[in-house]
Amino acid sequence: MLRSVSVLVLDELAVFEFGVLCEVFGLDRSDDGLPVLDWVVCGPEAGRPVTTKNGFTITPDRGLEALPGADLVCVAATALREFPPAALDALREARARGATILSVCSGVFVLGAAGLLTGRRCTVHWKHADELRATHPEALVEDDALYVDDGDLVTGAGTAAGIDACLHLVRRELGGAVANGIARRMVVPPQREGGQRQFVELPVPECTADSLAPLLAWLLEHLDAEHTVAALARRAAMSERTFARRFVEETGTTPHRWISAQRVLHARTLLEETELGMDAVAARAGFGTAALLRHHFRRALGVSPADYRSTFRCNRDEQQQPA
């Protein structure tokens, strides 16, 4: 049973992510019949202000001595990459005492520095995933997830995904009714669909040489047509074998994967900016049928085209209104 929560705040604190922890775990919602948790904010020193990335400071009431011993120890996001040794020792002590550890966004780097990520599944904001892998190769980084539950270690991805991680942990420890009650007060869904891929610009490989550039430009204008390696090789005036080898050398991927990625990217644009039906989007993007569009779209982004449109559809009328 989750009864007590301690949160570690360090300099260059990310205010939104810290606010998420406060909102989920630190508010008294007893008027809604929800449990009140024993909430403590801990800094390197009690009463010493912690800097934020937004030009003001936050002063924690408690020091590191109050961090261990809680049922749940949270690490707020920070832009730091070097951390006070005493804070790392306090996290290790909390873990040794049996606490569940939760990090939000870049707070996972603090866990890595404390040695708590070895062989453990974790996640972080997609922009920091490569850095996390390079800094902590011992960690098993899942950069598509909104959050990762690895038992006594729960990590949330960037910014609003911290809400998903916190509500998941509440649901796990206190039940769905409590998690739903908090979500209603926060005016957010208790669970979101999909992962981080839907928020990331698709990393379509670019051509690194000039020989295939004209062909790739032509392909972008004809995504709705069928393409075979044989036909593309003829257009490039190469043998199929030479074309396939040259394509991988210059783009880093195969013709099929390159075209599929470009089609998904085009479908995203159509879903965001037009009111075309799914069959029309599928045809224009080159998938042929709505069923194939759904298959490739979900495989690439983790959500259906309909859910993606619901989330990202541009309101052009509002955009066109003068400020």
Side-chain angles (χ1 to χ4, degrees):
M1 179 66 69
L2 177 61
R3 296 186 178 89
S4 57
V5 180
S6 295
V7 57
L8 172 65
V9 293
L10 299 173
D11 284 328
E12 297 191 45
L13 181 71
V15 176
F16 180 90
E17 288 85 345
F18 173 62
V20 167
L21 295 170
C22 296
E23 184 74 20
V24 174
F25 300 112
L27 292 186
D28 183 342
R29 295 189 175 94
S30 55
D31 57 333
D32 281 344
L34 299 174
V36 179
L37 301 175
D38 182 9
W39 165 260
V40 178
V41 178
C42 308
E45 297 178 29
R48 181 180 75 78
V50 170
T51 64
T52 71
K53 298 193 295 182
N54 304 87
F56 60 91
T57 61
I58 291 174
T59 304
D61 291 332
R62 305 291 295 277
L64 295 173
E65 74 286 346
L67 192 70
D71 298 323
L72 173 64
V73 172
C74 306
V75 181
T78 171
L80 293 179
R81 291 298 183 266
E82 294 185 7
F83 313 105
L88 303 181
D89 288 340
L91 285 173
R92 296 186 193 105
E93 182 182 351
R95 180 66 209 96
R97 291 190 182 186
T100 295
I101 310 294
L102 166 69
S103 71
V104 179
C105 193
S106 55
V108 73
F109 287 95
V110 188
L111 304 188
L116 302 181
L117 297 183
T118 302
R120 304 300 299 269
R121 297 168 49 243
C122 60
T123 193
V124 71
H125 192 292
W126 55 269
K127 292 189 72 172
H128 301 312
D130 289 341
E131 180 190 359
L132 183 61
R133 288 193 181 94
T135 307
H136 298 290
E138 73 279 6
L140 307 177
V141 182
E142 300 182 9
D143 54 7
D144 177 47
L146 293 174
Y147 61 86
V148 169
D149 182 339
D150 199 35
D152 55 16
L153 179 72
V154 178
T155 50
T159 315
I163 299 173
D164 300 283
C166 292
L167 289 177
H168 165 76
L169 203 149
V170 170
R171 186 181 305 108
R172 190 187 82 177
E173 298 296 323
L174 299 175
V178 175
N180 291 345
I182 294 173
R184 287 192 199 96
R185 285 283 294 265
M186 293 177 65
V187 199
V188 296
Q191 288 180 286
R192 282 194 295 170
E193 192 72 21
Q196 292 194 73
R197 280 176 292 174
Q198 61 188 303
F199 303 100
V200 183
E201 289 296 329
L202 214 60
V204 178
E206 297 181 357
C207 188
T208 58
D210 294 332
S211 62
L212 292 180
L215 174 66
L216 299 185
W218 178 84
L219 275 171
L220 290 177
E221 298 295 324
H222 298 85
L223 288 174
D224 57 341
E226 289 291 331
H227 301 291
T228 65
V229 171
L232 294 175
R234 286 194 299 271
R235 177 170 285 274
M238 300 177 187
S239 69
E240 291 185 36
R241 185 173 181 179
T242 300
F243 172 77
R245 175 176 53 80
R246 187 74 60 80
F247 199 99
V248 172
E249 288 174 354
E250 296 189 15
T251 69
T253 191
T254 65
H256 173 75
R257 289 177 179 170
W258 190 91
I259 293 170
S260 180
Q262 292 286 4
R263 284 173 169 164
V264 169
L265 182 60
H266 187 44
R268 288 174 73 165
T269 301
L270 293 173
L271 291 167
E272 292 173 10
E273 300 181 1
T274 76
E275 297 179 358
L276 293 171
M278 292 301 166
D279 288 330
V281 171
R284 290 198 186 187
F287 290 115
T289 67
L292 281 176
L293 168 65
R294 286 191 292 270
H295 169 76
H296 288 281
F297 203 90
R298 184 175 285 279
R299 187 171 66 178
L301 301 183
V303 293
S304 70
D307 287 339
Y308 183 87
R309 168 172 274 173
S310 176
T311 301
F312 293 99
R313 173 78 171 93
C314 297
N315 189 325
R316 288 174 294 170
D317 292 337
E318 288 185 5
Q319 291 177 344
Q320 292 169 1
Q321 289 178 358

